[in-house]
Amino acid sequence: MKKLLIALVALIPTFAMAAGSNVHLEKANIDLHDKESLQRGLNLFQNNCSGCHSTQYQRYERVATDLDIPLDEMSQQYLYNDTKIGALMENAITDDDAAKWFGAVPPDLTLVGRVRGEDWIYTYLKSFYKDESRPFGVNNTVFPSVGMPHVLQTLQGVPVLQEDGSIVSTGGELSAEEYDQVVRDITGFLVYSGDPVKLERESLGWWVLGFLFIFFIVSYLLKKEYWKDVH
């Protein structure tokens, strides 16, 4: 009983974050068939996010295979030191260091696409704004009082919250349209990570439905054959 209470107390912050805000979520329109977008999302995630956030329930080899990335290319770009291609995709810092620097351990993001949904992730990454009162100088309209820096600010520019609730950015390396695509690519990779067998499962589902349809026809014809003499 004591362990159950401890587990419930530990989950309270998670439930609170899941409640989110009342901000309207933009449509991400993720296409998991777009392997080039997923590859870009992997690259963006590894270069901007994986220093703190892990996707530790994914393996480098599985990701490379699913996204049509040659294994040697995957190893050269994303594996360091003695990391094996079959290793889990863990982050670069220890939990102790992360808790000391950020006040809490950054969550693993393998399943964030399933927990939050693609529209939440997409809107969240577009909703940082300048707020000097926060430790990292930014806040977020989707996740108020967020405890992380805006790691994509160099690309987006300095985002300023307007009176009407919109966010206007200046000084970024990308245009607004280009930044939207960057966010969509990252979102797509996280959606894929949360359910890497989704496309395979959907494809298999059509085969199952086809089999059941054919089986129904055969069963119906057999039923007619067996019962024709009864009448």
PDB file of all heavy atoms in Angstrom, residues 209-230:
ATOM      1  N   LEU A 209      -8.829  -7.614 -42.709  1.00  0.00           N
ATOM      2  CA  LEU A 209     -10.188  -7.327 -43.151  1.00  0.00           C
ATOM      3  C   LEU A 209     -10.499  -8.031 -44.469  1.00  0.00           C
ATOM      4  O   LEU A 209     -11.613  -8.544 -44.671  1.00  0.00           O
ATOM      5  CB  LEU A 209     -10.378  -5.815 -43.311  1.00  0.00           C
ATOM      6  CG  LEU A 209     -10.408  -4.991 -42.016  1.00  0.00           C
ATOM      7  CD1 LEU A 209     -10.472  -3.492 -42.341  1.00  0.00           C
ATOM      8  CD2 LEU A 209     -11.602  -5.385 -41.152  1.00  0.00           C
ATOM      9  N   GLY A 210      -9.509  -8.062 -45.369  1.00  0.00           N
ATOM     10  CA  GLY A 210      -9.697  -8.768 -46.634  1.00  0.00           C
ATOM     11  C   GLY A 210      -9.920 -10.253 -46.414  1.00  0.00           C
ATOM     12  O   GLY A 210     -10.795 -10.872 -47.046  1.00  0.00           O
ATOM     13  N   PHE A 211      -9.131 -10.836 -45.508  1.00  0.00           N
ATOM     14  CA  PHE A 211      -9.298 -12.264 -45.205  1.00  0.00           C
ATOM     15  C   PHE A 211     -10.675 -12.544 -44.620  1.00  0.00           C
ATOM     16  O   PHE A 211     -11.344 -13.514 -45.004  1.00  0.00           O
ATOM     17  CB  PHE A 211      -8.216 -12.717 -44.220  1.00  0.00           C
ATOM     18  CG  PHE A 211      -8.467 -14.074 -43.641  1.00  0.00           C
ATOM     19  CD1 PHE A 211      -8.177 -15.218 -44.362  1.00  0.00           C
ATOM     20  CD2 PHE A 211      -9.006 -14.206 -42.356  1.00  0.00           C
ATOM     21  CE1 PHE A 211      -8.427 -16.476 -43.831  1.00  0.00           C
ATOM     22  CE2 PHE A 211      -9.252 -15.456 -41.820  1.00  0.00           C
ATOM     23  CZ  PHE A 211      -8.964 -16.596 -42.560  1.00  0.00           C
ATOM     24  N   LEU A 212     -11.110 -11.692 -43.679  1.00  0.00           N
ATOM     25  CA  LEU A 212     -12.417 -11.888 -43.052  1.00  0.00           C
ATOM     26  C   LEU A 212     -13.541 -11.764 -44.084  1.00  0.00           C
ATOM     27  O   LEU A 212     -14.541 -12.502 -44.016  1.00  0.00           O
ATOM     28  CB  LEU A 212     -12.617 -10.876 -41.928  1.00  0.00           C
ATOM     29  CG  LEU A 212     -11.721 -11.065 -40.696  1.00  0.00           C
ATOM     30  CD1 LEU A 212     -11.942  -9.924 -39.709  1.00  0.00           C
ATOM     31  CD2 LEU A 212     -11.990 -12.410 -40.036  1.00  0.00           C
ATOM     32  N   PHE A 213     -13.379 -10.841 -45.034  1.00  0.00           N
ATOM     33  CA  PHE A 213     -14.398 -10.673 -46.073  1.00  0.00           C
ATOM     34  C   PHE A 213     -14.503 -11.932 -46.940  1.00  0.00           C
ATOM     35  O   PHE A 213     -15.607 -12.429 -47.215  1.00  0.00           O
ATOM     36  CB  PHE A 213     -14.059  -9.460 -46.937  1.00  0.00           C
ATOM     37  CG  PHE A 213     -15.024  -9.219 -48.062  1.00  0.00           C
ATOM     38  CD1 PHE A 213     -16.299  -8.741 -47.810  1.00  0.00           C
ATOM     39  CD2 PHE A 213     -14.667  -9.496 -49.380  1.00  0.00           C
ATOM     40  CE1 PHE A 213     -17.211  -8.525 -48.842  1.00  0.00           C
ATOM     41  CE2 PHE A 213     -15.563  -9.292 -50.420  1.00  0.00           C
ATOM     42  CZ  PHE A 213     -16.829  -8.801 -50.152  1.00  0.00           C
ATOM     43  N   ILE A 214     -13.336 -12.457 -47.351  1.00  0.00           N
ATOM     44  CA  ILE A 214     -13.332 -13.673 -48.169  1.00  0.00           C
ATOM     45  C   ILE A 214     -13.870 -14.856 -47.360  1.00  0.00           C
ATOM     46  O   ILE A 214     -14.661 -15.673 -47.867  1.00  0.00           O
ATOM     47  CB  ILE A 214     -11.906 -13.974 -48.679  1.00  0.00           C
ATOM     48  CG1 ILE A 214     -11.453 -12.857 -49.633  1.00  0.00           C
ATOM     49  CG2 ILE A 214     -11.847 -15.325 -49.371  1.00  0.00           C
ATOM     50  CD1 ILE A 214     -10.005 -12.965 -50.054  1.00  0.00           C
ATOM     51  N   PHE A 215     -13.467 -14.932 -46.099  1.00  0.00           N
ATOM     52  CA  PHE A 215     -13.937 -16.006 -45.233  1.00  0.00           C
ATOM     53  C   PHE A 215     -15.451 -15.941 -45.055  1.00  0.00           C
ATOM     54  O   PHE A 215     -16.141 -16.975 -45.016  1.00  0.00           O
ATOM     55  CB  PHE A 215     -13.246 -15.919 -43.872  1.00  0.00           C
ATOM     56  CG  PHE A 215     -13.628 -17.022 -42.924  1.00  0.00           C
ATOM     57  CD1 PHE A 215     -13.128 -18.307 -43.095  1.00  0.00           C
ATOM     58  CD2 PHE A 215     -14.490 -16.780 -41.863  1.00  0.00           C
ATOM     59  CE1 PHE A 215     -13.487 -19.337 -42.226  1.00  0.00           C
ATOM     60  CE2 PHE A 215     -14.848 -17.801 -40.993  1.00  0.00           C
ATOM     61  CZ  PHE A 215     -14.347 -19.082 -41.175  1.00  0.00           C
ATOM     62  N   PHE A 216     -15.993 -14.725 -44.967  1.00  0.00           N
ATOM     63  CA  PHE A 216     -17.441 -14.554 -44.831  1.00  0.00           C
ATOM     64  C   PHE A 216     -18.157 -15.094 -46.069  1.00  0.00           C
ATOM     65  O   PHE A 216     -19.182 -15.781 -45.958  1.00  0.00           O
ATOM     66  CB  PHE A 216     -17.776 -13.076 -44.633  1.00  0.00           C
ATOM     67  CG  PHE A 216     -19.248 -12.781 -44.722  1.00  0.00           C
ATOM     68  CD1 PHE A 216     -20.089 -13.053 -43.650  1.00  0.00           C
ATOM     69  CD2 PHE A 216     -19.788 -12.236 -45.880  1.00  0.00           C
ATOM     70  CE1 PHE A 216     -21.455 -12.790 -43.738  1.00  0.00           C
ATOM     71  CE2 PHE A 216     -21.141 -11.964 -45.973  1.00  0.00           C
ATOM     72  CZ  PHE A 216     -21.981 -12.242 -44.891  1.00  0.00           C
ATOM     73  N   ILE A 217     -17.618 -14.788 -47.261  1.00  0.00           N
ATOM     74  CA  ILE A 217     -18.250 -15.274 -48.493  1.00  0.00           C
ATOM     75  C   ILE A 217     -18.227 -16.800 -48.546  1.00  0.00           C
ATOM     76  O   ILE A 217     -19.243 -17.452 -48.861  1.00  0.00           O
ATOM     77  CB  ILE A 217     -17.539 -14.680 -49.728  1.00  0.00           C
ATOM     78  CG1 ILE A 217     -17.728 -13.155 -49.768  1.00  0.00           C
ATOM     79  CG2 ILE A 217     -18.059 -15.321 -51.011  1.00  0.00           C
ATOM     80  CD1 ILE A 217     -16.960 -12.477 -50.880  1.00  0.00           C
ATOM     81  N   VAL A 218     -17.066 -17.369 -48.225  1.00  0.00           N
ATOM     82  CA  VAL A 218     -16.940 -18.831 -48.234  1.00  0.00           C
ATOM     83  C   VAL A 218     -17.900 -19.452 -47.222  1.00  0.00           C
ATOM     84  O   VAL A 218     -18.579 -20.457 -47.505  1.00  0.00           O
ATOM     85  CB  VAL A 218     -15.493 -19.252 -47.939  1.00  0.00           C
ATOM     86  CG1 VAL A 218     -15.394 -20.770 -47.780  1.00  0.00           C
ATOM     87  CG2 VAL A 218     -14.568 -18.785 -49.052  1.00  0.00           C
ATOM     88  N   SER A 219     -17.969 -18.866 -46.039  1.00  0.00           N
ATOM     89  CA  SER A 219     -18.855 -19.384 -45.000  1.00  0.00           C
ATOM     90  C   SER A 219     -20.313 -19.305 -45.431  1.00  0.00           C
ATOM     91  O   SER A 219     -21.102 -20.229 -45.187  1.00  0.00           O
ATOM     92  CB  SER A 219     -18.655 -18.599 -43.697  1.00  0.00           C
ATOM     93  OG  SER A 219     -17.337 -18.707 -43.243  1.00  0.00           O
ATOM     94  N   TYR A 220     -20.674 -18.219 -46.080  1.00  0.00           N
ATOM     95  CA  TYR A 220     -22.053 -18.047 -46.539  1.00  0.00           C
ATOM     96  C   TYR A 220     -22.407 -19.088 -47.597  1.00  0.00           C
ATOM     97  O   TYR A 220     -23.485 -19.692 -47.563  1.00  0.00           O
ATOM     98  CB  TYR A 220     -22.230 -16.634 -47.101  1.00  0.00           C
ATOM     99  CG  TYR A 220     -23.596 -16.378 -47.685  1.00  0.00           C
ATOM    100  CD1 TYR A 220     -24.701 -16.206 -46.853  1.00  0.00           C
ATOM    101  CD2 TYR A 220     -23.783 -16.331 -49.063  1.00  0.00           C
ATOM    102  CE1 TYR A 220     -25.971 -15.988 -47.393  1.00  0.00           C
ATOM    103  CE2 TYR A 220     -25.035 -16.104 -49.606  1.00  0.00           C
ATOM    104  CZ  TYR A 220     -26.126 -15.936 -48.763  1.00  0.00           C
ATOM    105  OH  TYR A 220     -27.375 -15.728 -49.292  1.00  0.00           O
ATOM    106  N   LEU A 221     -21.481 -19.313 -48.542  1.00  0.00           N
ATOM    107  CA  LEU A 221     -21.736 -20.311 -49.579  1.00  0.00           C
ATOM    108  C   LEU A 221     -21.834 -21.718 -48.997  1.00  0.00           C
ATOM    109  O   LEU A 221     -22.668 -22.532 -49.422  1.00  0.00           O
ATOM    110  CB  LEU A 221     -20.631 -20.245 -50.634  1.00  0.00           C
ATOM    111  CG  LEU A 221     -20.574 -18.941 -51.449  1.00  0.00           C
ATOM    112  CD1 LEU A 221     -19.379 -18.959 -52.393  1.00  0.00           C
ATOM    113  CD2 LEU A 221     -21.867 -18.732 -52.232  1.00  0.00           C
ATOM    114  N   LEU A 222     -20.970 -22.021 -48.009  1.00  0.00           N
ATOM    115  CA  LEU A 222     -21.034 -23.313 -47.348  1.00  0.00           C
ATOM    116  C   LEU A 222     -22.347 -23.492 -46.600  1.00  0.00           C
ATOM    117  O   LEU A 222     -22.955 -24.565 -46.612  1.00  0.00           O
ATOM    118  CB  LEU A 222     -19.863 -23.462 -46.379  1.00  0.00           C
ATOM    119  CG  LEU A 222     -18.498 -23.759 -46.990  1.00  0.00           C
ATOM    120  CD1 LEU A 222     -17.417 -23.725 -45.932  1.00  0.00           C
ATOM    121  CD2 LEU A 222     -18.512 -25.117 -47.690  1.00  0.00           C
ATOM    122  N   LYS A 223     -22.785 -22.415 -45.950  1.00  0.00           N
ATOM    123  CA  LYS A 223     -24.058 -22.464 -45.219  1.00  0.00           C
ATOM    124  C   LYS A 223     -25.203 -22.772 -46.168  1.00  0.00           C
ATOM    125  O   LYS A 223     -26.093 -23.602 -45.888  1.00  0.00           O
ATOM    126  CB  LYS A 223     -24.261 -21.132 -44.505  1.00  0.00           C
ATOM    127  CG  LYS A 223     -25.558 -21.036 -43.702  1.00  0.00           C
ATOM    128  CD  LYS A 223     -26.615 -20.277 -44.461  1.00  0.00           C
ATOM    129  CE  LYS A 223     -27.875 -20.091 -43.635  1.00  0.00           C
ATOM    130  NZ  LYS A 223     -28.978 -19.493 -44.423  1.00  0.00           N
ATOM    131  N   LYS A 224     -25.217 -22.126 -47.341  1.00  0.00           N
ATOM    132  CA  LYS A 224     -26.267 -22.377 -48.315  1.00  0.00           C
ATOM    133  C   LYS A 224     -26.220 -23.823 -48.814  1.00  0.00           C
ATOM    134  O   LYS A 224     -27.257 -24.472 -49.008  1.00  0.00           O
ATOM    135  CB  LYS A 224     -26.121 -21.414 -49.495  1.00  0.00           C
ATOM    136  CG  LYS A 224     -26.470 -19.964 -49.176  1.00  0.00           C
ATOM    137  CD  LYS A 224     -26.503 -19.119 -50.429  1.00  0.00           C
ATOM    138  CE  LYS A 224     -27.615 -19.581 -51.347  1.00  0.00           C
ATOM    139  NZ  LYS A 224     -27.724 -18.708 -52.559  1.00  0.00           N
ATOM    140  N   GLU A 225     -24.996 -24.331 -49.009  1.00  0.00           N
ATOM    141  CA  GLU A 225     -24.843 -25.697 -49.499  1.00  0.00           C
ATOM    142  C   GLU A 225     -25.332 -26.707 -48.476  1.00  0.00           C
ATOM    143  O   GLU A 225     -26.021 -27.686 -48.816  1.00  0.00           O
ATOM    144  CB  GLU A 225     -23.367 -25.947 -49.842  1.00  0.00           C
ATOM    145  CG  GLU A 225     -23.083 -27.317 -50.406  1.00  0.00           C
ATOM    146  CD  GLU A 225     -23.706 -27.515 -51.790  1.00  0.00           C
ATOM    147  OE1 GLU A 225     -23.979 -26.515 -52.477  1.00  0.00           O
ATOM    148  OE2 GLU A 225     -23.930 -28.681 -52.167  1.00  0.00           O
ATOM    149  N   TYR A 226     -25.001 -26.501 -47.221  1.00  0.00           N
ATOM    150  CA  TYR A 226     -25.394 -27.430 -46.162  1.00  0.00           C
ATOM    151  C   TYR A 226     -26.896 -27.405 -45.900  1.00  0.00           C
ATOM    152  O   TYR A 226     -27.505 -28.418 -45.549  1.00  0.00           O
ATOM    153  CB  TYR A 226     -24.645 -27.127 -44.881  1.00  0.00           C
ATOM    154  CG  TYR A 226     -23.203 -27.560 -44.887  1.00  0.00           C
ATOM    155  CD1 TYR A 226     -22.198 -26.744 -44.402  1.00  0.00           C
ATOM    156  CD2 TYR A 226     -22.832 -28.800 -45.405  1.00  0.00           C
ATOM    157  CE1 TYR A 226     -20.873 -27.139 -44.410  1.00  0.00           C
ATOM    158  CE2 TYR A 226     -21.512 -29.214 -45.435  1.00  0.00           C
ATOM    159  CZ  TYR A 226     -20.527 -28.377 -44.936  1.00  0.00           C
ATOM    160  OH  TYR A 226     -19.227 -28.759 -44.946  1.00  0.00           O
ATOM    161  N   TRP A 227     -27.509 -26.247 -46.049  1.00  0.00           N
ATOM    162  CA  TRP A 227     -28.902 -26.109 -45.670  1.00  0.00           C
ATOM    163  C   TRP A 227     -29.889 -26.271 -46.835  1.00  0.00           C
ATOM    164  O   TRP A 227     -31.103 -26.256 -46.630  1.00  0.00           O
ATOM    165  CB  TRP A 227     -29.129 -24.730 -45.020  1.00  0.00           C
ATOM    166  CG  TRP A 227     -28.635 -24.681 -43.600  1.00  0.00           C
ATOM    167  CD1 TRP A 227     -27.376 -24.456 -43.178  1.00  0.00           C
ATOM    168  CD2 TRP A 227     -29.422 -24.896 -42.430  1.00  0.00           C
ATOM    169  NE1 TRP A 227     -27.309 -24.495 -41.801  1.00  0.00           N
ATOM    170  CE2 TRP A 227     -28.554 -24.759 -41.311  1.00  0.00           C
ATOM    171  CE3 TRP A 227     -30.783 -25.167 -42.193  1.00  0.00           C
ATOM    172  CZ2 TRP A 227     -28.983 -24.893 -40.000  1.00  0.00           C
ATOM    173  CZ3 TRP A 227     -31.212 -25.310 -40.881  1.00  0.00           C
ATOM    174  CH2 TRP A 227     -30.321 -25.194 -39.796  1.00  0.00           C
ATOM    175  N   LYS A 228     -29.400 -26.448 -48.037  1.00  0.00           N
ATOM    176  CA  LYS A 228     -30.314 -26.482 -49.178  1.00  0.00           C
ATOM    177  C   LYS A 228     -31.232 -27.708 -49.130  1.00  0.00           C
ATOM    178  O   LYS A 228     -32.373 -27.667 -49.597  1.00  0.00           O
ATOM    179  CB  LYS A 228     -29.530 -26.446 -50.478  1.00  0.00           C
ATOM    180  CG  LYS A 228     -28.693 -27.694 -50.766  1.00  0.00           C
ATOM    181  CD  LYS A 228     -27.949 -27.542 -52.088  1.00  0.00           C
ATOM    182  CE  LYS A 228     -27.150 -28.784 -52.409  1.00  0.00           C
ATOM    183  NZ  LYS A 228     -26.405 -28.658 -53.680  1.00  0.00           N
ATOM    184  N   ASP A 229     -30.727 -28.822 -48.569  1.00  0.00           N
ATOM    185  CA  ASP A 229     -31.537 -30.032 -48.495  1.00  0.00           C
ATOM    186  C   ASP A 229     -32.510 -30.015 -47.322  1.00  0.00           C
ATOM    187  O   ASP A 229     -33.457 -30.810 -47.288  1.00  0.00           O
ATOM    188  CB  ASP A 229     -30.649 -31.269 -48.386  1.00  0.00           C
ATOM    189  CG  ASP A 229     -29.809 -31.457 -49.617  1.00  0.00           C
ATOM    190  OD1 ASP A 229     -30.242 -31.037 -50.711  1.00  0.00           O
ATOM    191  OD2 ASP A 229     -28.686 -32.006 -49.502  1.00  0.00           O
ATOM    192  N   VAL A 230     -32.253 -29.133 -46.342  1.00  0.00           N
ATOM    193  CA  VAL A 230     -33.135 -29.043 -45.175  1.00  0.00           C
ATOM    194  C   VAL A 230     -34.505 -28.523 -45.585  1.00  0.00           C
ATOM    195  O   VAL A 230     -35.549 -28.949 -45.092  1.00  0.00           O
ATOM    196  CB  VAL A 230     -32.526 -28.166 -44.082  1.00  0.00           C
ATOM    197  CG1 VAL A 230     -33.506 -27.984 -42.926  1.00  0.00           C
ATOM    198  CG2 VAL A 230     -31.222 -28.772 -43.593  1.00  0.00           C
TER     199      VAL A 230
END
